[in-house]
DNA sequence: GCGCCTACGC
């Protein structure tokens, strides 16, 4: 047995089998394994054999623990899949359907379709699926990779994988198309298949929302009329979709009139409607109207949600000043609301934008009492440090990420690499090269522009050798699976 | 299964 450093590290964290020197007759059970520790072990473990051994020797694997670790490794696709594969040979643990879905999502995001379908086959032979959820994930990834036709074929062949299509999966597929701005294609398919799947209000809502996302409110209205003609009653969701559509398309007046019409027709306006209007007015620069609607809703017997507060706080940050936003933030706390990650991210962005970096960092620490910082939190702070020329501080934040909760994503790398050119320092270019290698290693594909920029920089600063290395990496990337934004 | 809040189109 070859016990490496990595395995003894496990002992330090007390997640290996109990020590033999127990005094009490019934020793307390070992503490549950800490997901962060295990995730870091996987990230650092470059020796697959010792890693396998370490993971297999863990006392209790649960689907929940596996899920948590996969989530943590989300921005390191190759490592996440390695982890998933290593557990497949575990003597007793068996993957759950949810873990399979997660691994399939990661493989498809890496555009590693061979692995994706291998996992689907394994899922089937373990009698865990594939489920409609699995197909929603796969088709979404194909569509966002620009392969909508392939996604359609996959949807239509679901039954060959032992998964029957029904109205729910049809709606889910339409939604995938609409969310990636393919409302026209979704609408065509909808017309072809609505009889076969007995399209319902939700199908119509999805299509209407698809047109709204493309700022085509007249088309969305058409869809709504069509549903009425066919004897389906629009729901509050239908109206809220249209309402949002007007504001998103910049039709503020139309949006407000639509809202008044909803009131007039005695439609029970809910917190979503109000949040839409508060946000819509604010984004259009109508801060006073935004506030007025916010104040009105309580009188109308509709309580604001955290999302409503988030909308108002964001509006004040962007169109008024961060100080007034903080007043609302405090008011929210006084009324017993628990801010979520969006609340903090909005406030942190506002503080950064106002040049109050120290306060932003304070909020980032305070945030941990209520929720975990997200990738957006880190990216905002890194971006503003870079803009301020505080490259070292930005890199410190990156270090923190790699040692902790949230791994850097494509945006993080793009922001940082971009910042390595402002000081015209040779050392910065070396860091840019290192970051480029790291991001490729983690399954992100840099744009051609990024490669060329780093190459030029390295050549100009006399780092020909390193430039050669980057060049080799670039040619290797041509055949690598591609990954893009989340 | 759809709708509100971070982030949005170059």
């Amino acid at each position: 047995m070859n016990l490496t450093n990595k395995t003894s590290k496990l002992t330090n964290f007390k997640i290996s089998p109990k020590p033999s020197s127990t005094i009490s007759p019934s020793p307390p059970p070992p503490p549950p394994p800490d997901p962060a520790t295990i995730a870091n072990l996987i990230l650092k473990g470059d020796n697959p054999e010792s890693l396998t051994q370490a993971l297999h020797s863990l006392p209790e694997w649960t689907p929940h623990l596996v899920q948590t670790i996969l989530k943590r490794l989300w921005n390191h696709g190759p490592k996440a899949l390695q982890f998933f594969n290593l557990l497949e040979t575990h003597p007793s643990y068996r993957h759950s359907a949810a873990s399979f879905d997660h691994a399939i999502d990661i493989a498809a995001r890496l555009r590693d379709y061979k692995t994706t379908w291998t996992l689907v086959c394994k899922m089937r032979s373990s009698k865990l699926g594939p489920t409609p959820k699995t197909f929603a994930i796969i088709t979404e990834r194909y569509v966002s990779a620009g392969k909508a036709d392939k996604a359609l074929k996959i949807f239509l062949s679901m039954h060959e994988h032992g998964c029957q299509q029904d109205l729910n999966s049809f709606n889910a597929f339409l939604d995938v198309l609409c969310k990636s701005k393919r409302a026209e294609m979704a609408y065509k398919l909808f017309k072809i298949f609505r009889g076969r799947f007995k399209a319902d209000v939700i199908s119509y809502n999805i299509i209407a929302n698809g047109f709204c996302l493309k700022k085509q409110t007249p088309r969305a209205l058409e869809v709504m009329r069509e549903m009425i003609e066919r004897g389906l009653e629009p729901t509050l969701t239908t109206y809220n979709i249209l309402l949002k559509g007007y504001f998103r398309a910049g039709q503020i007046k139309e949006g407000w009139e639509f809202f008044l019409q909803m009131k007039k027709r005695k439609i029970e306006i809910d917190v979503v409607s109000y949040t839409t209007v508060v946000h819509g007015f604010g984004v259009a620069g109508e801060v006073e109207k935004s506030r007025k609607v916010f104040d009105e809703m309580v009188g109308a017997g509709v309580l604001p949600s955290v999302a409503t507060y988030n909308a108002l706080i964001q509006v004040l940050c962007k169109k008024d000043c961060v100080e007034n936003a903080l007043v609302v933030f405090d008011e929210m706390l006084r009324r017993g609301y628990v801010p979520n990650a969006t609340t903090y991210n909005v406030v942190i962005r506002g503080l950064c934008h106002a040049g109050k970096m120290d306060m932003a960092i304070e909020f980032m620490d305070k945030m941990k009492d209520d929720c975990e910082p997200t990738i957006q939190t880190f990216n905002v702070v890194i971006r503003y440090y870079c803009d301020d020329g505080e490259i070292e501080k930005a890199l410190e934040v990156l270090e923190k990420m790699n040692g902790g909760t949230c791994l850097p994503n494509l945006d993080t790398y793009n922001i940082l690499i971009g910042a390595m050119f402002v000081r015209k320092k040779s050392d910065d270019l070396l860091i840019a090269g290192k970051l480029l290698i790291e991001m490729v290693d983690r399954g992100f594909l840099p744009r051609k522009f990024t490669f060329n920029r780093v190459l030029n920089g390295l050549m100009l600063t006399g780092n020909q050798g390193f430039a050669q290395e980057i060049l080799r990496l670039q040619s290797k990337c041509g055949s690598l699976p591609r990954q893009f934004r989340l």
Side-chain angles (χ1 to χ4, degrees):
Chain A
M1 204 198 276
N2 178 22
L3 280 179
T4 65
N5 283 339
K6 276 113 201 166
T7 12
S8 54
K9 205 168 188 178
L10 275 177
T11 328
N12 291 339
F13 284 94
K14 295 183 181 161
I15 45 178
S16 69
K18 292 163 242 167
S20 52
S21 61
T22 38
I23 304 157
S24 107
S26 53
D34 169 28
T37 313
I38 304 171
N40 287 336
L41 192 80
I42 298 159
L43 286 171
K44 285 180 196 111
D46 23 38
N47 177 351
E49 276 158 44
S50 61
L51 184 61
T52 312
Q53 204 170 56
L55 294 182
H56 283 198
S57 71
L58 274 178
E60 284 277 308
W61 281 105
T62 61
H64 179 257
L65 178 60
V66 172
Q67 289 274 91
T68 312
I69 291 168
L70 284 175
K71 239 191 205 157
R72 266 186 118 91
L73 297 175
W74 178 250
N75 285 323
H76 198 326
K79 283 280 184 194
L81 290 178
Q82 185 196 13
F83 163 67
F84 186 87
N85 285 334
L86 287 183
L87 276 191
E88 284 195 314
T89 55
H90 190 277
S92 57
Y93 176 76
R94 293 293 165 260
H95 281 307
S96 65
S99 297
F100 266 106
D101 281 347
H102 217 117
I104 286 168
D105 199 3
I106 290 166
R109 197 176 55 135
L110 291 169
R111 305 194 185 182
D112 182 351
Y113 300 118
K114 196 167 159 252
T115 304
T116 304
W117 290 103
T118 306
L119 287 167
V120 171
C121 289
K122 280 184 186 163
M123 199 177 183
R124 194 172 183 185
S125 50
S126 334
K127 307 238 184 298
L128 289 168
T131 65
K133 173 100 186 285
T134 317
F135 279 95
I137 290 167
I138 295 174
T139 50
E140 186 185 340
R141 291 301 170 195
Y142 272 92
V143 169
S144 51
K147 301 168 191 292
D149 295 336
K150 184 88 196 204
L152 173 60
K153 281 191 188 127
I154 293 166
F155 169 70
L156 292 173
S157 68
M158 271 172 73
H159 59 280
E160 289 163 26
H161 298 274
C163 188
Q164 233 17 264
Q165 297 108 321
D166 57 9
L167 178 58
N168 287 342
S169 54
F170 180 57
N171 283 344
F173 182 58
L174 292 180
D175 198 38
V176 162
L177 291 175
C178 286
K179 296 261 164 71
S180 52
K181 303 276 173 84
R182 286 176 174 81
E184 215 57 69
M185 181 181 178
Y187 194 32
K188 272 189 196 141
L189 290 173
F190 168 79
K191 283 195 267 199
I192 295 171
F193 291 113
R194 65 177 153 203
R196 175 165 152 197
F197 291 113
K198 304 208 181 344
D200 62 356
V201 180
I202 293 172
S203 322
Y204 278 98
N205 285 349
I206 288 167
I207 301 291
N209 190 44
F211 284 119
C212 284
L213 288 172
K214 297 200 74 187
K215 303 186 181 180
Q216 301 181 333
T217 27
R219 303 288 322 263
L221 260 184
E222 261 174 54
V223 173
M224 192 179 89
R225 286 202 198 99
E226 193 184 307
M227 78 191 271
I228 297 170
E229 279 166 23
R230 290 188 170 247
L232 290 169
E233 191 66 26
T235 60
L236 178 56
T237 301
T238 318
Y239 295 115
N240 283 340
I241 286 168
L242 261 300
L243 184 64
K244 177 73 189 174
Y246 282 118
F247 281 105
R248 183 186 286 115
Q251 300 171 277
I252 311 304
K253 235 180 97 193
E254 290 85 345
W256 178 242
E257 269 157 24
F258 190 81
F259 182 70
L260 293 178
Q261 279 296 317
M262 285 169 71
K263 270 190 182 170
K264 217 185 222 165
R265 293 198 208 165
K266 300 268 182 282
I267 293 159
E268 290 268 346
I269 292 169
D270 70 352
V271 61
V272 175
S273 327
Y274 277 106
T275 305
T276 303
V277 177
V278 167
H279 185 253
F281 269 141
V283 167
E286 306 261 21
V287 181
E288 283 319 306
K289 287 185 182 164
S290 173
R291 253 192 200 282
K292 216 175 138 209
V293 173
F294 184 90
D295 294 334
E296 263 173 28
M297 66 187 287
V298 186
V302 182
L303 275 184
S305 65
V306 172
T308 321
Y309 272 100
N310 293 349
L312 183 62
I313 290 171
Q314 189 213 158
V315 159
L316 294 174
C317 282
K318 285 196 169 165
K319 306 285 177 177
D320 196 28
C321 63
V322 71
E323 286 76 12
N324 286 343
L326 288 175
V327 171
V328 176
F329 180 81
D330 286 336
E331 176 192 303
M332 174 181 179
L333 295 185
R334 258 187 288 114
R335 296 195 176 156
Y337 287 88
V338 179
N340 61 19
T342 304
T343 325
Y344 281 102
N345 288 343
V346 167
V347 170
I348 289 168
R349 177 183 295 268
L351 288 168
C352 287
H353 197 77
K356 301 178 188 298
M357 285 306 291
D358 294 342
M359 251 180 113
I361 302 294
E362 268 174 46
F363 264 85
M364 201 168 159
D365 288 329
K366 201 151 63 165
M367 176 174 188
K368 287 168 191 141
D369 298 337
D370 293 323
C371 52
E372 283 300 322
T374 66
I375 186 71
Q376 285 93 338
T377 323
F378 289 105
N379 287 350
V380 164
V381 170
I382 288 178
R383 169 163 280 140
Y384 279 94
Y385 268 143
C386 288
D387 286 355
D388 284 0
E390 302 256 34
I391 311 285
E392 270 69 32
K393 286 191 177 170
L395 290 170
E396 268 171 42
V397 178
L398 177 77
E399 271 317 300
K400 233 193 267 172
M401 294 175 75
N402 278 325
T405 10
C406 187
L407 292 174
N409 70 2
L410 183 62
D411 289 335
T412 323
Y413 285 110
N414 281 333
I415 296 164
L416 279 166
I417 291 175
M420 293 305 145
F421 295 87
V422 294
R423 299 192 296 195
K424 314 257 181 273
K425 274 170 64 177
S426 163
D427 284 356
D428 284 0
L429 268 304
L430 293 177
I431 295 174
K434 266 164 70 182
L435 289 170
L436 196 64
I437 292 171
E438 187 178 274
M439 73 188 278
V440 171
D441 193 45
R442 296 180 177 199
F444 297 106
L445 183 73
R447 290 170 297 179
K448 240 187 215 119
F449 169 78
T450 312
F451 268 118
N452 292 340
R453 224 171 153 202
V454 174
L455 280 169
N456 285 333
L458 287 172
M459 297 296 281
L460 288 172
T461 50
N463 291 299
Q464 269 72 14
F466 198 16
Q468 284 297 320
E469 199 182 317
I470 300 287
L471 203 59
R472 277 194 295 275
L473 181 73
Q474 184 175 17
S475 58
K476 221 174 69 182
C477 275
S479 56
L480 275 180
R482 303 211 311 149
Q483 169 170 357
F484 72 112
R485 241 164 259 269
L486 197 86

